[in-house]
Amino acid sequence: MTAPILETPRLRLRPFTHGDVDVLHAQWTHPDVRRYLWDGRMIARDEVVAVVDESIDAFQRRGSGFWVIEHGEP
């Protein structure tokens, strides 16, 4: 199954990919994000890889998972 991509004139929603790992890790380890998302725990990059892998697998098996929200084309 090919994962869906949803687009509007202003936004693009797409499933997580392995190319998102470094950006997600940087975001999820930021102190202001970490205290709400991970209860203050510093997560390892390997944990981010596992979350991305699980989401990719979920899209393949069930057609749902985590999404990236990006700005649409200007």
Side-chain angles (χ1 to χ4, degrees), residues 30-50:
H30 187 281
D32 290 336
V33 173
R34 191 176 71 223
R35 71 181 178 159
Y36 295 107
L37 187 60
W38 300 102
D39 294 329
R41 185 173 62 87
M42 181 64 80
I43 63 166
R45 188 178 184 283
D46 290 347
E47 289 181 84
V48 177
V49 171

Side-chain angles (χ1 to χ4, degrees), residues 6-69:
L6 306 174
E7 293 187 78
T8 71
R10 293 180 11 197
L11 295 175
R12 181 175 188 247
L13 284 77
R14 62 170 179 77
F16 282 2
T17 68
H18 289 114
D20 298 316
V21 169
D22 290 332
V23 172
L24 289 169
H25 186 252
Q27 181 181 24
W28 291 351
T29 56
H30 187 281
D32 290 336
V33 173
R34 191 176 71 223
R35 71 181 178 159
Y36 295 107
L37 187 60
W38 300 102
D39 294 329
R41 185 173 62 87
M42 181 64 80
I43 63 166
R45 188 178 184 283
D46 290 347
E47 289 181 84
V48 177
V49 171
V51 170
V52 170
D53 285 343
E54 289 173 21
S55 182
I56 291 169
D57 184 57
F59 268 106
Q60 291 173 348
R61 288 185 294 114
R62 298 187 308 268
S64 65
F66 291 115
W67 298 85
V68 171
I69 301 172

